[in-house]
Amino acid sequence: MATTAFYSNKKELYPTYDGCDLGFTFTPESTTFKVWAPSAEQVLLKLYTTGSFHEAGAQVMGIKQMLLDGRTGVWSATVEGNLNKIYYTYVIKTEKGTHETQDVYSKAVGVNSLRSMVVDLSSTDPEGWENDRHVLPDKPNDAIVWEIHVRDFSSSDSSGVSKNHRGKFLAFTEKNTVIPFTSYPTCLNYLKELGVTHVQLNPVFDFGSVNEITGVDYNWGYDPVNYNVPEGSYSTDPYHGEVRIREFKEMIKSLHEEGIGVIMDVVYNHVYETATSPFELTVPGYYFRMQNGRFLNSSGCGNVTASDKTMFRNFMVNSLKYWVEEYHIDGFRFDLMACHDIETMNIIREELDKTDKRILMYGEPWTANDGENGISGEDCCNKTNAKKLSNRIGMFNDDMRHGIKGGSDDDTKGYIQGAGHSAYNVIAGMMGAASVTFGNWANEPSQCITYDSAHDNLTLWDKILKSNWCSDFDTTDHLYIKQNALAGAMVMLSLGVPFMLAGEEFCRTKHGDHNSYKSPDAVNSINWTRTIRYRELNDYYKGLIKIRKAFSPLRDNTTKAVNDSYIVYNGQIISLTIKNDTEGEWKMMSIILNNTENACQVEFKSQYDLPKRWYILADASTASDKAITEFDKDDLIPPRSVMVLVDLESYNKINGIVEKKIEDTVEEKAYSAKE
Ligand code: CA
């Protein structure tokens, strides 16, 4: 697989390398190894039969002295013969001592990442892989993202997935699973019905916090060891490095077959353990931002990588391109993206564009500690700097999240629980953070990731319960379900890119655990039976998704839809009316949000002529792209709910409905609020 190198014009302490062949280059006749280690005094290549010393037949096959090219800092060695499935390490001597380490550029590793492995990648392709294609949205906000952890997806009995695939990559290849003894779909079968376009997988690269031999620990996996290798605990055989690669590809292929794209959560901002990281053992002190010999810590995890240095920048770009080309990944979510510099992220965008401009890129526009970032606030990827980034590098809108539900872990209230002060934040968010009037940190709506819940913090359901002082996580109290539905409506009917934590649409609970990164399966795994218990809410989300897909302005990536929207808000009641010029679609939509405890009157206003008659697509309990009934001017919006209306005339035209006699049963005056 060809990789590319990128120059930085920054002054570098060491010679850098712009070649495309770091790591191993395999052919059946010989394999060449190259490692960039400009500060090393000696580098030895060590070959092994197995990935760890306790496996049967474990032995050292050979040790070879590598040779330095002083102009580039690259050490290399070529070994004759077919080295497919042979394990290797480097023994690197620097002024910090002599250490054995796996390859920074590893593409395969043995169990628990002790050793790297040479692999003939073409032998890891599942059947039909050559026909596998990316699933890419034309515009970022055509995507609807569902965030899921590989293990959570299927670890519960309720998943109906076969026992040996539960919690593994291969669970995604089971196509017709149901909740045992029912006909209710689970896993992939469920996703097809839900209508989301993309899954975002929590870390699936090789991380360090789960013992791949026992496989009993649970972790989200935000602790990278090998960025270019799939995680072993999600494979059925972590010992043989090629197995996880094939199974990962089978997962991707299966999702793609159902029209669902795959976004990887990438964590380039820090490594698991500084001292044992192959980066640190290979070139001590180079790959991390440091101050007076101390590792800076804007990641909050003990170190922060130096995206602003040539060789880590090259590493990030090549790594991302590798996932796109070798594994057909469709997008990336960057953890703590503000740890990275703007120049690097824009270079990544340009490089991914060479493959396809539609590959998704977005990230968290914050660090865990700005004071420890080691780069200027003007250079980091936070919301303040969004306009310096490509329009196609999105950012999570935490203002909207906060506006919708209040603080992530506390008992404060947001719009859905009736807070009055949140309306402004919420409107800005519904405009994709691209409205001149309400706030526009984003270039355009497609740069704004709109959400109310993610893996971090309380689930939306747990947050709703906490803010309402309820401790029954299985309650079916209508008030709470309505608040959940209102949140979902605000996300799905916004102009940005909708995103949700898996299960938000069926009241997923972690029983109040706000940071479940290493909590057991009992807390984290998806309990699919909740899709039955909370059926009505689940259907409501499906309907909202259909409405979103049917109305182009909600997915407009320019600011046209923002300008075509008319917003009225009086304290807590928000009405948003949007015009649509797209042929064959509803011409006008009105979205009315009422977060008060009382039913309210509908107030229509627009800068355009308003239709005389409307249909209701969504009310407090039902949502779909099919009209429920005609709207009557005396209809009220129930407390804590949304109403979605579309103009009757274009709806009838699209659906071939001919009315014998159209009577203007409503008074002209009530609807001619054009100013
Ligand atoms: Ca691992």
Side-chain angles (χ1 to χ4, degrees):
M1 190 60 53
T3 53
T4 326
F6 306 87
Y7 296 97
S8 161
N9 51 18
K10 290 190 178 61
K11 280 228 165 74
E12 291 281 342
L13 183 61
Y14 300 123
T16 56
Y17 182 60
D18 62 351
C20 309
D21 54 356
L22 291 173
F24 68 81
T25 304
F26 169 86
T27 72
E29 293 75 36
S30 69
T31 297
T32 296
F33 299 84
K34 288 192 177 180
V35 54
W36 184 73
S39 61
E41 294 160 22
Q42 184 190 49
V43 181
L44 301 176
L45 168 69
K46 219 170 162 180
L47 300 176
Y48 294 93
T49 50
T50 57
S52 64
F53 57 85
H54 57 77
E55 289 167 69
Q59 56 173 310
V60 178
M61 293 174 68
I63 299 175
K64 190 162 178 157
Q65 175 80 47
M66 299 182 84
L67 292 177
L68 172 69
D69 178 347
R71 292 165 306 166
T72 59
V74 172
W75 298 75
S76 64
T78 297
V79 179
E80 301 298 321
N82 188 331
L83 264 56
N84 187 27
K85 301 182 189 171
I86 298 300
Y87 293 81
Y88 71 98
T89 59
Y90 298 127
V91 181
I92 299 176
K93 185 182 175 192
T94 68
E95 61 175 27
K96 299 266 180 194
T98 301
H99 299 282
E100 183 169 0
T101 174
Q102 73 268 40
D103 189 355
V104 165
Y105 280 80
S106 296
K107 287 179 174 158
V109 295
V111 70
N112 283 335
S113 11
L114 295 170
R115 295 169 187 162
S116 305
M117 183 182 126
V118 177
V119 64
D120 175 4
L121 283 166
S122 65
S123 72
T124 63
D125 293 348
E127 206 181 319
W129 184 243
E130 65 280 6
N131 299 321
D132 182 69
R133 292 291 172 267
H134 284 287
V135 173
L136 298 167
D138 287 340
K139 313 181 294 293
N141 45 359
D142 282 335
I144 301 169
V145 184
W146 197 74
E147 184 195 29
I148 184 67
H149 184 278
V150 167
R151 186 154 157 170
D152 298 349
F153 189 59
S154 62
S155 57
S156 134
D157 293 354
S158 67
S159 70
V161 164
S162 60
K163 224 166 190 164
N164 54 334
H165 289 174
R166 273 183 217 157
K168 310 287 185 196
F169 293 135
L170 289 180
F172 289 83
T173 65
E174 295 198 14
K175 303 247 176 183
N176 295 302
T177 52
V178 291
I179 297 170
F181 312 112
T182 77
S183 58
Y184 290 100
T186 62
C187 297
L188 198 52
N189 199 15
Y190 165 82
L191 284 184
K192 287 186 279 184
E193 269 192 20
L194 181 60
V196 294
T197 66
H198 286 74
V199 291
Q200 178 190 299
L201 302 175
N202 293 121
V204 286
F205 51 75
D206 176 36
F207 52 80
S209 52
V210 171
N211 186 331
E212 296 176 1
I213 295 172
T214 60
V216 291
D217 336 77
Y218 177 96
N219 207 288
W220 283 344
Y222 290 83
D223 41 73
V225 177
N226 288 290
Y227 290 104
N228 297 339
V229 181
E231 163 59 15
S233 63
Y234 298 150
S235 77
T236 58
D237 175 1
Y239 289 91
H240 298 94
E242 72 280 11
V243 176
R244 62 179 80 177
I245 297 177
R246 186 181 315 110
E247 291 177 351
F248 191 107
K249 288 177 176 175
E250 283 177 9
M251 167 179 70
I252 303 289
K253 179 171 164 268
S254 178
L255 281 157
H256 281 175
E257 280 166 358
E258 302 306 333
I260 297 169
V262 183
I263 297 163
M264 248 180 97
D265 191 336
V266 287
V267 189
Y268 292 105
N269 63 74
H270 75 277
V271 301
Y272 181 38
E273 287 178 334
T274 321
T276 62
S277 162
F279 288 96
E280 183 61 11
L281 295 180
T282 304
V283 193
Y286 177 80
Y287 283 107
F288 303 94
R289 295 198 191 121
M290 303 186 72
Q291 205 169 53
N292 305 325
R294 183 178 67 87
F295 288 88
L296 289 171
N297 186 24
S298 57
S299 70
C301 300
N303 58 71
V304 56
T305 55
S307 61
D308 50 325
K309 286 189 190 164
T310 305
M311 292 306 284
F312 195 74
R313 174 178 294 170
N314 285 0
F315 181 86
M316 283 177 74
V317 178
N318 287 329
S319 174
L320 291 158
K321 286 171 76 102
Y322 175 67
W323 284 108
V324 169
E325 289 166 16
E326 185 63 34
Y327 289 95
H328 305 176
I329 290 292
D330 304 299
F332 299 97
R333 174 266 189 198
F334 292 82
D335 189 64
L336 302 182
M337 190 166 69
C339 291
H340 303 319
D341 63 293
I342 290 165
E343 190 183 351
T344 296
M345 293 307 294
N346 279 333
I347 288 173
I348 290 169
R349 182 70 266 176
E350 283 168 29
E351 287 302 316
L352 294 182
D353 283 355
K354 289 175 187 169
T355 301
D356 199 310
K357 290 194 165 190
R358 298 171 300 169
I359 293 166
L360 291 159
M361 277 179 73
Y362 56 88
E364 293 181 304
W366 51 77
T367 70
N369 184 349
D370 285 349
E372 285 279 299
N373 210 17
I375 54 172
S376 153
E378 289 177 6
D379 294 331
C380 70
C381 298
N382 57 25
K383 290 208 300 282
T384 313
N385 295 329
K387 293 199 168 79
K388 299 180 192 169
L389 281 164
S390 158
N391 293 3
R392 286 171 296 106
I393 300 176
M395 292 182 173
F396 284 94
N397 189 357
D398 51 336
D399 303 324
M400 174 67 159
R401 181 194 71 203
H402 194 263
I404 290 176
K405 67 176 186 185
S408 293
D409 290 332
D410 56 30
D411 60 359
T412 58
K413 294 182 194 305
Y415 187 83
I416 58 170
Q417 302 102 324
H421 60 83
S422 305
Y424 200 87
N425 256 354
V426 159
I427 296 168
M430 290 190 80
M431 290 291 102
S435 158
V436 175
T437 315
F438 292 95
N440 59 342
W441 57 258
N443 286 300
E444 54 190 32
S446 59
Q447 203 178 6
C448 173
I449 308 295
T450 305
Y451 76 122
D452 59 51
S453 71
H455 66 275
D456 278 318
N457 307 112
L458 293 173
T459 66
L460 176 64
W461 184 243
D462 289 353
K463 162 67 196 182
I464 288 171
L465 296 189
K466 185 168 184 176
S467 55
N468 286 285
W469 296 92
C470 170
S471 57
D472 175 8
F473 298 104
D474 300 326
T475 179
T476 51
D477 187 310
H478 274 223
L479 173 67
Y480 310 143
I481 293 173
K482 270 183 192 166
Q483 292 179 4
N484 193 323
L486 187 54
M490 293 165 81
V491 170
M492 287 304 160
L493 303 174
S494 288
L495 305 188
V497 182
F499 169 102
M500 63 170 145
L501 175 68
E504 180 192 304
E505 71 280 19
F506 48 81
C507 306
R508 181 173 175 186
T509 180
K510 294 183 188 171
H511 303 96
D513 188 339
H514 73 280
N515 187 12
S516 66
Y517 76 101
K518 58 176 185 180
S519 301
D521 288 326
V523 171
N524 282 296
S525 70
I526 299 264
N527 176 357
W528 291 96
T529 64
R530 292 176 85 85
T531 61
I532 306 173
R533 186 175 187 85
Y534 299 102
R535 197 79 203 151
E536 195 176 300
L537 179 72
N538 201 194
D539 287 339
Y540 197 79
Y541 269 77
K542 288 175 196 166
L544 292 169
I545 289 171
K546 283 183 183 156
I547 292 172
R548 179 172 187 84
K549 287 180 172 176
F551 196 66
S552 296
L554 296 175
R555 296 175 282 108
D556 185 1
N557 62 326
T558 72
T559 49
K560 183 178 187 306
V562 177
N563 297 329
D564 286 349
S565 300
Y566 197 90
I567 294 154
V568 186
Y569 71 107
N570 84 56
Q572 302 183 224
I573 298 152
I574 301 168
S575 112
L576 163 61
T577 305
I578 313 175
K579 184 175 86 107
N580 185 9
D581 299 327
T582 316
E583 216 36 61
E585 293 189 5
W586 311 313
K587 292 287 167 227
M588 190 82 80
M589 177 178 283
S590 204
I591 300 162
I592 302 105
L593 301 160
N594 174 18
N595 77 339
T596 70
E597 288 171 14
N598 306 309
C600 74
Q601 200 98 43
V602 179
E603 190 182 8
F604 289 99
K605 271 186 190 171
S606 171
Q607 67 271 53
Y608 306 106
D609 288 328
L610 283 167
K612 292 189 173 59
R613 299 171 67 188
W614 299 84
Y615 279 129
I616 300 173
L617 292 186
D619 61 16
S621 57
T622 312
S624 87
D625 55 354
K626 300 282 175 288
I628 301 168
T629 180
E630 186 174 350
F631 174 75
D632 183 280
K633 73 178 169 65
D634 295 324
D635 283 347
L636 297 174
I637 315 292
R640 304 262 158 84
S641 75
V642 63
M643 187 175 274
V644 180
L645 308 170
V646 289
D647 73 287
L648 178 141
E649 198 182 323
S650 66
Y651 182 97
N652 280 353
K653 203 172 149 196
I654 292 164
N655 292 284
I657 298 167
V658 182
E659 289 189 293
K660 279 182 189 137
K661 190 181 165 200
I662 296 172
E663 292 171 25
D664 280 350
T665 53
V666 289
E667 291 169 46
E668 193 78 12
K669 208 172 104 194
Y671 292 98
S672 61
K674 187 186 166 204
E675 315 256 287

